[in-house]
Amino acid sequence: MAPIGKLYGPTVNFRNYKARVAAKFLGLDIETTPEFQMGVDNATPEYLAKFPSAKTPSFESADGFSLTDSSAIAYYVASKGGDKSPLLGHTPEETAEILQFILFAESDFMPAVLGTLAPLLGFMPLVKPAHQQAEQQFARFLGVLNTLLVDRTFLVGERLTVADVVVACDLIMTYKLYLEEADRKQYRNLTRYFKTMVAQPAFKAVIGDVELCKERVKAAAPAKKEKKEKKPAQEPKAKAEKPKPKPAE
């Protein structure tokens, strides 16, 4: 089967995984760009002509349709399963609920995740008040998902949908870098859900095994500035004495 299109961007990236997992689930093929270099390949005139925002991942279909935003691309790929695609809603209510979870993941959850992890990973300055606020929001949203999943296997209905694809991929950094064993017990419903999702064949084919966090990532200690040895203060030079005037004869 010919690829349905080409996905541009680094392949080892949680955002890049979404469309590829959706495609695997439906038995579709997508061309990828394993050698893609951020800041180089997405800055070329050819790339910017197709995707003026320079965002990644981006997608170009076999018939020339172009799209950016990882979740929008995943939704588009999910639609290639036809009117009764198993990844999409089959009623207006299901469709609305799928969109609800996708928008929650992108507009609420991921900003809190990145606000927490990016400073710890050195991608942005660690400003304590802002970081503490992000951590509080992060914990709150983890709690929201944990409560929602108390009696659910999937987010919407009784089957895996594109909402699960998006949310599970957005959880990867959380489970690899932040939630230690004690945390995973605290969010046991969410942890059960995440493990169930990444064990699906379509996920495993794209992302492989996910190694759960053993020790939470910590901010690197700031480099110590070398103290400069103070040079001993130099004694002020004695002022040259002015020659005394000769006595008048």
Side-chain angles (χ1 to χ4, degrees), residues 163-191:
D164 297 300
V165 173
V166 169
V167 171
C169 286
D170 282 346
L171 282 166
I172 289 173
M173 289 177 65
T174 297
Y175 274 93
K176 288 183 74 171
L177 301 175
Y178 194 81
L179 294 183
E180 299 173 322
E181 185 176 359
D183 303 311
R184 296 195 292 271
K185 289 179 180 177
Q186 179 182 351
Y187 302 112
R188 62 178 69 251
N189 303 320
L190 181 59
T191 298

Side-chain angles (χ1 to χ4, degrees), residues 7 9-22 56-57 69-71 73-74 102 105-107 109-115 117-118 121 123 162 164-177 194 198 203 206-207 210:
L7 188 67
T11 52
V12 183
N13 182 280
F14 73 97
R15 295 194 187 280
N16 192 282
Y17 296 152
K18 298 174 187 178
R20 290 158 58 202
V21 170
T56 62
D69 185 272
S70 61
S71 295
I73 298 167
I102 291 175
E106 294 303 301
S107 62
F109 183 68
M110 282 313 299
V113 173
L114 296 175
L117 293 181
L121 295 169
F123 294 132
V162 67
D164 297 300
V165 173
V166 169
V167 171
C169 286
D170 282 346
L171 282 166
I172 289 173
M173 289 177 65
T174 297
Y175 274 93
K176 288 183 74 171
L177 301 175
F194 179 73
V198 297
F203 277 90
V206 173
I207 67 177
V210 177

Side-chain angles (χ1 to χ4, degrees), residues 85-98:
S85 170
L87 292 177
L88 297 184
H90 294 167
T91 66
E93 290 76 17
E94 283 186 348
T95 299
E97 204 171 2
I98 287 170

Side-chain angles (χ1 to χ4, degrees), residues 239-245:
K239 293 182 180 179
E241 292 185 6
K242 293 181 180 180
K244 294 179 181 178

